[in-house]
Amino acid sequence: MSELVVQFQKLSIAREAPALNREQLALATQWDAVLKSGQVERNLDNINLCLRDNTFLVATRVPTVTDVKLFESVFPLTKQLVSSTKDVKDTYAKYRHIIRWVDFLQRLLPIEKTEQLSMNYDLELPREVI
Amino acid sequence: MSAELSYDRLKNHSAKLQLANNLKLALAVEFATKDLKIKINDTVDSPSLTTDKVHLFDADAILRYAMDQFSGAFTSESFDSLSKLEPALYKEELTTHDKEHAVHALKNYLVSNLKDTDSATKLITFANVAALIPDEVAKTDLLKHLPAKITIAWETAKRLVPRDSAQFKN
């Protein structure tokens, strides 16, 4: 079990997690498959889409261990995406839901300030067309 | 509850990935719980299942959801299937290691265990192994003694996968 998962499980938010229904179990299974088969980067758009429609990956009101496990892979990818582009605004706009989720989890877990994704909350993004 | 399912016809997916995905999706149709009415949507090319409550794109999750069977998702068989077999489905060429993993799964999880099964974990392993090492699977008696539902799904999946150009007659 990773250090982040251990840290998460000490939080009251993790201990009070509700039982998952059929749809939420299916989502947890889906993200577990993406993670274990090594297809996280390929599925960034799907992760962003899921987080557009849900606050967290398993459609719960609070983060679950699935969020933490995916976060471990998505966090460095997001940092890389944001730092490697000249058009930060474009990356923020494209992955706005992932970035919102990463920002929440990096503060919840917590990730050290120096390691965190540096957020620009003043960036004006174009409205999302659904 | 009604659901729309679409098969994998993505051009950037290899034939073996399409075969594994479509077999799992066809098995989802065959083994779906009675409360789930699945309709095929031919207008979408990517694997998916959509209800008014959830949208899924991963074939393993779709099969488990259709069967309402999640308890086996964290077994060692499931771990092997996800972390050793499924990554190989995305490769152009299988390595010796990939083939060894698939043969190991065939011998240890399938050969004596597939008859009369309705285990989602077993069906997922079968789909992965059948797509990765079809010749090895054909050498066993596995395909000769498949339960009817699996045979129907197997035929559907094979029909959906584009034929290799080497198979075309001049």
Side-chain angles (χ1 to χ4, degrees):
Chain A
M1 201 181 297
S2 79
E3 201 178 312
L4 278 184
V5 170
V6 172
Q7 276 188 326
F8 174 71
Q9 286 178 335
K10 288 178 187 165
L11 301 175
S12 60
I13 206 170
R15 290 198 299 269
E16 292 158 13
L20 302 181
N21 63 28
R22 183 174 178 175
E23 284 72 27
Q24 290 168 328
L25 284 168
L27 287 167
T29 304
Q30 172 165 271
W31 298 124
D32 186 57
V34 166
L35 193 60
K36 286 190 181 140
S37 61
Q39 300 302 315
V40 173
E41 190 165 5
R42 185 191 266 252
N43 280 291
L44 279 181
D45 287 352
N46 281 324
I47 296 169
N48 194 58
L49 193 64
C50 178
L51 291 168
R52 183 195 73 186
D53 299 334
N54 303 285
T55 309
F56 298 106
L57 287 171
V58 184
T60 46
R61 291 183 180 181
V62 292
T64 63
V65 73
T66 300
D67 288 280
V68 181
K69 286 179 179 172
L70 254 290
F71 172 80
E72 289 188 297
S73 293
V74 174
F75 179 57
L77 288 173
T78 312
K79 279 174 76 175
Q80 194 183 332
L81 273 171
V82 172
S83 64
S84 66
T85 178
K86 286 181 182 171
D87 196 349
V88 176
K89 196 170 170 177
D90 191 47
T91 305
Y92 265 66
K94 187 174 179 191
Y95 295 112
R96 65 183 79 196
H97 306 291
I98 288 182
I99 290 172
R100 179 265 302 161
W101 172 81
V102 161
D103 189 34
F104 178 88
L105 288 174
Q106 70 177 357
R107 285 184 285 138
L108 176 78
L109 287 170
I111 305 293
E112 281 189 30
K113 283 270 182 211
T114 51
E115 295 294 314
Q116 286 191 6
L117 171 67
S118 170
M119 299 293 297
N120 181 350
Y121 297 108
D122 298 324
L123 211 55
E124 277 194 37
L125 300 182
R127 283 184 67 129
E128 188 174 28
V129 180
I130 298 174
Chain B
M1 183 169 35
S2 62
E4 279 202 356
L5 179 141
S6 55
Y7 285 106
D8 185 353
R9 294 186 179 88
L10 288 173
K11 288 179 180 162
N12 62 347
H13 280 183
S14 66
K16 54 182 180 288
L17 179 57
Q18 280 192 14
L19 180 60
N21 279 342
N22 288 332
L23 181 50
K24 292 168 194 173
L25 297 168
L27 287 166
V29 174
E30 294 301 319
F31 284 90
T33 54
K34 285 179 183 167
D35 62 321
L36 192 66
K37 308 291 174 207
I38 298 180
K39 203 176 97 183
I40 307 299
N41 181 352
D42 285 326
T43 62
V44 178
D45 286 342
S46 55
S48 68
L49 181 121
T50 307
T51 72
D52 58 351
K53 292 179 182 169
V54 74
H55 172 78
L56 300 167
F57 61 83
D58 175 74
D60 292 10
I62 291 170
L63 179 55
R64 286 194 183 280
Y65 178 74
M67 296 175 78
D68 195 13
Q69 208 182 94
F70 302 98
S71 56
F74 299 98
T75 58
S76 57
E77 179 178 346
S78 187
F79 181 84
D80 282 354
S81 202
L82 284 173
S83 62
K84 292 177 182 170
L85 304 183
E86 296 206 3
L89 293 169
Y90 291 88
K91 294 180 184 172
E92 288 289 322
E93 292 286 333
L94 298 186
T95 64
T96 312
H97 259 49
D98 295 329
K99 287 178 191 162
E100 282 170 2
H101 287 317
V103 169
H104 177 270
L106 175 64
K107 286 181 180 165
N108 285 281
Y109 300 131
L110 297 177
V111 166
S112 57
N113 282 323
L114 197 58
K115 291 174 197 170
D116 308 322
T117 186
D118 56 357
S119 148
T121 303
K122 203 65 73 190
L123 295 174
I124 288 167
T125 305
F126 170 63
N128 290 336
V129 169
L132 287 171
I133 48 167
D135 295 343
E136 293 295 323
V137 173
K139 284 181 200 166
T140 69
D141 284 342
L142 200 59
L143 298 177
K144 291 176 197 159
H145 303 294
L146 288 179
K149 284 181 176 182
I150 305 179
T151 303
I152 294 168
W154 177 240
E155 293 303 323
T156 304
K158 280 197 298 182
R159 205 169 49 242
L160 286 161
V161 175
R163 281 193 302 163
D164 189 324
S165 57
Q167 296 173 328
F168 294 145
K169 289 178 182 173
N170 292 326

